[in-house]
Amino acid sequence: MANKEKQAVWLYPETKELMVSHLSAANAKSQSEFIEKAIKFYAGYLDCNSDNASEYLSSVVSTVMDGIVKGSEQRISRALFKLAVESAMQSHILAAVSDVDETDVGKLYGMCVDDVRKIDGIIDFRRAYKYQKE
């Protein structure tokens, strides 16, 4: 690629503010890089009916998919964290009020690991209740 050339660009203050506020979202290190990406994106959009459409669409689809995956990942991570906190609270409460010796806890752990493997992680309270009352 050839060397970059300096260009004069006139922008309204609100347009520049919009650009600066979106630098990190565009993964641009500078305002020049942001403008260059924006021009390529818009040119790709305008070329959608031409042979260059695949370049533009693959970039757009990839970006959209990245956003969807990252958003889902964050929601799942937050939900798992909250679930782990609740589980830890329940474990501590049960340990504080139960009168179970360490040997029984070890046996129960092994049984639960086997049980969860058999049921593919789908825990059913009724089944556990029935087992404990037998």
Side-chain angles (χ1 to χ4, degrees), residues 17-130:
E17 186 179 314
L18 189 64
M19 175 179 57
V20 171
S21 69
H22 286 84
L23 279 175
S24 63
N27 199 21
K29 295 176 182 73
S30 67
Q31 294 176 20
S32 293
E33 186 179 354
F34 184 92
I35 292 170
E36 193 166 334
K37 284 183 174 192
I39 290 170
K40 287 180 180 179
F41 181 84
Y42 189 60
Y45 169 76
L46 294 174
D47 289 340
C48 270
N49 292 329
S50 72
D51 294 335
N52 298 337
S54 63
E55 268 185 51
Y56 169 75
L57 291 176
S58 65
S59 169
V60 170
V61 169
S62 175
T63 302
V64 169
M65 292 302 292
D66 266 355
I68 290 170
V69 169
K70 285 179 183 174
S72 297
E73 181 182 276
Q74 289 173 349
R75 284 190 298 280
I76 290 169
S77 294
R78 281 193 291 266
L80 286 173
F81 179 81
K82 290 177 182 179
L83 185 60
V85 169
E86 291 296 322
S87 180
M89 287 174 51
Q90 291 173 358
S91 294
H92 283 279
I93 290 170
L94 283 172
V97 299
S98 67
D99 189 27
V100 180
D101 65 9
E102 198 169 332
T103 306
D104 289 339
V105 170
K107 289 178 185 176
L108 178 61
Y109 179 81
M111 182 199 73
C112 289
V113 168
D114 291 340
D115 199 29
V116 170
R117 277 190 190 127
K118 289 177 191 171
I119 61 175
D120 291 327
I122 301 170
I123 300 167
D124 183 12
F125 178 78
R126 291 185 191 118
R127 189 166 163 244
Y129 181 80
K130 182 179 175 184

